[in-house]
């Protein structure tokens, strides 16, 4: 079989991959992109909402008028929060058809080093020789299943990442493990599907954010500026200065990434679980074994008392590990050549790993750039940096001229069509609209 060529290969067609493709196309950088458009979002269970605000959840294309809130407004849909995952998936697919029509919906199954580039094998068996390769595979392969559940058969235990239909839980007793939005929402979805859910939270409380206000008083907006991660000064710094995070000493950066934004759920999940789903805090599962088609759990409460009970199914809402070793498509020789921060690839300012020509975007880049990059919003900064880098000296010169023209003709003060101030520079994230919501952090717990 003949081997095809590509300058840049992008693996994955979610918000990061599609945004980068749109930027490269505009810059006339030759690329190929593989994957199914918005697959992760299309496979979300019906009734699941975005956790982020609409303005923080875009496919970032180099033309105004194509943000998610604008798309929602044109269709009479909610354009702030909560927006459905289904709407976001439709928006993303619509954007792909317009901005990335040459998407090839094949999976990349293997990538290894070859000469001065990479040998990419596709699911059809075709092979592509790529000079540079960008991985944008999101949270695929990264679901964290606690040790204690790993030996349970698949039909008895699953991770929220793999669940797209909750109707199987009708009439079932289900234990959901975890205290974050995914776990609490899984409890709600089991209940709504006609099952009986209980959520086991290890921490002392299940945290719910308060409702966001679209309009906020000036003083509040100054004290707690709105950002793509919610209101707050630290969020603001992380959003506007990702390079400052990048250049923090590694140990500090790791602490920041690991400790920032603990498990919490949005306000609109609260009504769906309150009085409907039992939430047990300070409860840790210490053992789980299959018994006659059910699961017998041992749960330690308050660090002392252990109790045992049986359920029909267990769902782990226990998060994700950015672990290079989990990526099945990456050749082991390449992986071993890569320097890591914790278990994630250590990336340069241009999102390049220690293997020249090999790049990572999205959750895999959070250890190098901060917590913002766990979310779709991080794609804005990422793709502008990466497109400029991949475009080479010509792209950088074009940006310099564009910046100079904008300054000379005062374009910086103009507004884009959704009312946000235009970005003053590629290194600074867009500021929010003047009236952004303020999620107050209310806490709630139920035994
Ligand atoms: C339940 C849940 C809810 C979330 N809600 C939000 C939210 O509301 N807002 C927010 O900002 N973030 C949210 N996130 C986080 C968000 O999913 C990540 O930040 C994210 O993955 C960003 O987009 P992406 O393009 O990196 O990944 P994805 O959107 O997951 O896209 C990656 C794509 O790569 C494809 N792929 C994987 N392997 C291959 C391969 N070998 N070959 C070809 N294609 C491949 C996948 O099929 C997938 O379509 C949520 C995460 C979860 C788990």
């Amino acid at each position: 079989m003949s081997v095809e060529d590509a300058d840049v290969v992008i693996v994955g067609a979610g918000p990061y991959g599609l945004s980068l493709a749109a930027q490269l196309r505009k810059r006339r950088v030759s690329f190929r992109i593989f994957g199914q458009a918005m697959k992760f979002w299309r496979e979300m269970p019906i009734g699941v909402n975005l956790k982020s605000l609409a303005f923080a959840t875009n496919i970032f294309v180099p033309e105004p008028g194509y943000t998610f809130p604008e798309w929602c407004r044109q269709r009479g849909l909610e354009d702030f929060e909560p927006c459905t995952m289904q709407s976001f998936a439709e928006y993303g697919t619509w954007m792909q058809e317009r901005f990335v029509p040459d998407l090839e919906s094949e999976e990349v199954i293997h990538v290894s080093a070859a000469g001065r580039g990479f040998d990419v094998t596709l699911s059809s068996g075709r092979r592509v020789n790529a000079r540079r390769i960008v991985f944008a595979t999101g949270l695929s392969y990264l679901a964290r299943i606690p040790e204690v559940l790993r030996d349970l058969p698949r039909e008895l235990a699953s991770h929220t990442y793999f669940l797209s239909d909750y109707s199987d839980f009708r009439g079932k007793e289900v234990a959901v493990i975890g205290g974050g939005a995914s776990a609490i929402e899984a409890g709600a979805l089991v209940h709504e599907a006609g099952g009986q859910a209980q959520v086991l939270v290890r921490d002392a409380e299940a945290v719910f954010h308060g409702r966001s206000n679209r309009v906020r008083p000036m003083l509040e907006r100054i004290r707690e500026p709105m950002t793509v991660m919610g209101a707050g000064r630290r969020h603001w710094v992380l959003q506007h200065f990702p390079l400052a995070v990048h250049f923090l000493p590694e140990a500090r950066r790791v602490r920041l990434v690991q400790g920032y934004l603990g498990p919490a759920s949005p306000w609109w999940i609260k009504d769906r679980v309150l009085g409907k789903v039992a939430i047990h805090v300070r409860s840790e599962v210490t053992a789980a074994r299959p018994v006659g088609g059910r699961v017998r759990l041992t749960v330690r409460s308050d660090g002392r008392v252990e109790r045992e009970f049986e359920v029909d199914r267990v769902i782990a809402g226990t998060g994700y590990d950015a672990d290079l070793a989990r990526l099945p498509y990456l050749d082991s020789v390449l992986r071993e050549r890569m320097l890591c921060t914790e278990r994630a690839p250590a990336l340069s300012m241009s999102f390049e790993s220690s293997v020249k020509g090999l790049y990572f975007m999205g959750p895999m880049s959070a250890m190098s750039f901060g917590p913002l990059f766990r979310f779709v919003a991080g794609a804005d900064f990422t793709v502008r940096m990466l497109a400029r880098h991949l475009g080479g000296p010509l792209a950088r010169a074009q940006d310099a001229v564009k910046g100079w023209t904008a300054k000379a003709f005062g374009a910086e003060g103009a507004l884009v069509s959704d009312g946000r101030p235009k970005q003053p520079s590629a290194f600074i994230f867009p500021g929010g609209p003047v009236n952004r919501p303020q999620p107050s952090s209310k806490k709630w717990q139920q035994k």
Side-chain angles (χ1 to χ4, degrees):
M1 193 175 281
S2 65
V3 178
E4 302 157 35
D5 279 322
D7 180 4
V8 177
V9 159
I10 304 171
V11 186
Y16 276 83
L18 293 175
S19 300
L20 180 64
Q23 301 282 346
L24 292 182
R25 196 158 179 252
K26 170 88 178 177
R27 288 174 182 275
R28 296 178 198 285
V29 177
S30 142
F31 70 90
R32 293 178 69 175
I33 173 167
F34 298 102
Q36 294 178 43
M38 301 295 285
K39 184 166 184 281
F40 164 71
W41 308 89
R42 281 191 283 110
E43 290 182 352
M44 278 281 148
I46 301 290
V48 170
N49 292 324
L50 287 179
K51 312 294 180 294
S52 50
L53 298 164
F55 69 80
T57 330
N58 295 303
I59 308 297
F60 296 93
V61 296
E63 273 178 54
Y66 289 95
T67 63
F68 182 47
E70 284 166 301
W71 185 90
C72 290
R73 279 197 287 276
Q74 284 155 15
R75 285 156 186 78
L77 300 170
E78 173 58 48
D79 65 346
F80 189 62
E81 76 158 343
C83 298
T84 67
M85 290 260 185
Q86 215 183 337
S87 303
F88 184 59
E90 277 169 31
Y91 158 75
T93 312
W94 186 84
M95 292 291 279
Q96 177 264 312
E97 284 160 7
R98 266 145 203 83
F99 289 91
V100 195
D102 30 18
L103 171 69
E104 297 173 67
S105 55
E106 273 198 66
E107 207 182 321
V108 166
I109 57 169
H110 193 248
V111 177
S112 58
R116 291 169 69 185
F118 303 94
D119 182 16
V120 180
T121 309
L122 305 176
S123 43
S124 61
R126 279 159 63 211
R127 284 172 55 201
V128 179
N129 207 325
R131 195 160 73 87
R132 297 170 295 177
I133 186 156
V134 184
F135 295 111
T137 54
L139 295 169
S140 321
Y141 324 109
L142 304 182
R144 180 195 300 141
I145 300 191
E147 185 85 48
V148 74
L149 302 183
R150 275 184 209 157
D151 292 335
L152 288 176
R154 274 209 186 160
E155 59 278 13
L156 296 182
S158 43
H159 191 281
T160 49
Y161 187 81
F162 303 108
L163 292 172
S164 52
D165 179 7
Y166 277 69
S167 60
D168 280 356
F169 296 111
R170 170 183 280 274
K172 300 263 184 331
E173 287 180 89
V174 182
V176 184
I177 300 171
S182 290
I184 304 289
E185 190 167 43
L189 289 165
V190 169
H191 171 77
E192 287 156 11
Q196 198 187 329
Q198 53 178 311
V199 185
L200 304 170
V201 181
R202 197 172 44 185
D203 292 343
E205 58 197 348
V207 179
F208 288 83
H209 291 297
R211 188 172 190 153
S212 309
N213 295 318
R214 274 184 198 244
V215 181
R216 297 191 306 144
M218 167 86 85
L219 202 62
E220 204 176 291
R221 296 197 314 254
I222 295 169
R223 259 201 327 255
E224 299 262 272
M226 183 46 73
T227 76
V228 290
M229 290 185 282
R233 286 191 201 176
R234 284 187 86 199
H235 291 341
W236 190 88
V237 173
L238 294 175
Q239 175 184 329
H240 289 270
F241 300 101
L243 285 182
V245 178
H246 182 65
F247 289 115
L248 279 176
E250 183 172 302
R252 260 190 88 187
R253 184 165 18 93
V254 168
R255 270 203 309 279
L256 172 77
V257 174
Q258 288 176 339
Y260 207 76
L261 292 175
S265 304
W267 58 272
W268 41 261
I269 297 183
K270 193 169 170 178
D271 285 346
R272 291 167 57 193
V273 290
L274 197 57
K276 297 167 183 159
V277 174
I279 298 182
H280 303 284
V281 296
R282 293 198 183 93
S283 297
E284 188 174 4
V285 177
T286 56
R289 61 193 159 87
V291 182
R294 302 186 87 206
V295 182
R296 174 161 280 268
L297 292 176
T298 309
V299 174
R300 189 189 296 136
S301 303
D302 291 320
R304 289 171 283 117
V305 194
E306 285 204 333
R307 64 188 172 108
E308 284 201 353
F309 58 92
E310 279 183 20
V311 289
D312 294 305
R313 298 284 184 276
V314 180
I315 298 175
T318 40
Y320 300 85
D321 285 322
D323 182 351
L324 209 51
R326 298 264 195 99
L327 304 181
Y329 49 74
L330 201 57
D331 187 73
S332 58
V333 177
L334 267 183
R335 194 168 55 228
E336 277 153 26
R337 274 171 54 196
M338 236 175 269
L339 294 178
C340 285
T341 301
E342 294 293 292
R343 282 166 293 155
L347 303 178
S348 76
M349 236 172 82
S350 312
F351 292 80
E352 190 171 20
S353 71
S354 53
V355 173
K356 196 170 161 40
L358 197 153
Y359 305 79
F360 287 92
M361 302 195 289
M364 271 293 184
S365 67
M367 269 302 167
S368 290
F369 288 91
L372 173 67
F373 296 80
R374 296 202 293 248
F375 306 103
V376 172
D380 189 6
F381 176 82
T382 308
V383 301
R384 280 187 285 122
M385 289 292 277
L386 199 43
R388 180 186 287 199
H389 172 82
L390 296 172
L394 181 65
R396 290 191 280 277
Q398 278 171 345
D399 279 359
V401 172
K402 229 188 273 166
W404 178 84
T405 320
K407 273 204 183 94
F409 295 100
E412 281 186 6
L415 294 178
V416 294
S417 52
D418 67 346
R420 288 181 300 144
K422 263 195 172 166
Q423 278 152 235
S425 110
F427 287 90
I428 298 186
F429 267 79
V434 189
N435 296 322
R436 286 276 176 79
Q438 154 148 41
S440 60
S441 185
K442 283 190 194 138
K443 296 181 175 184
W444 171 79
Q445 69 182 66
Q446 178 186 320
K447 277 240 177 193

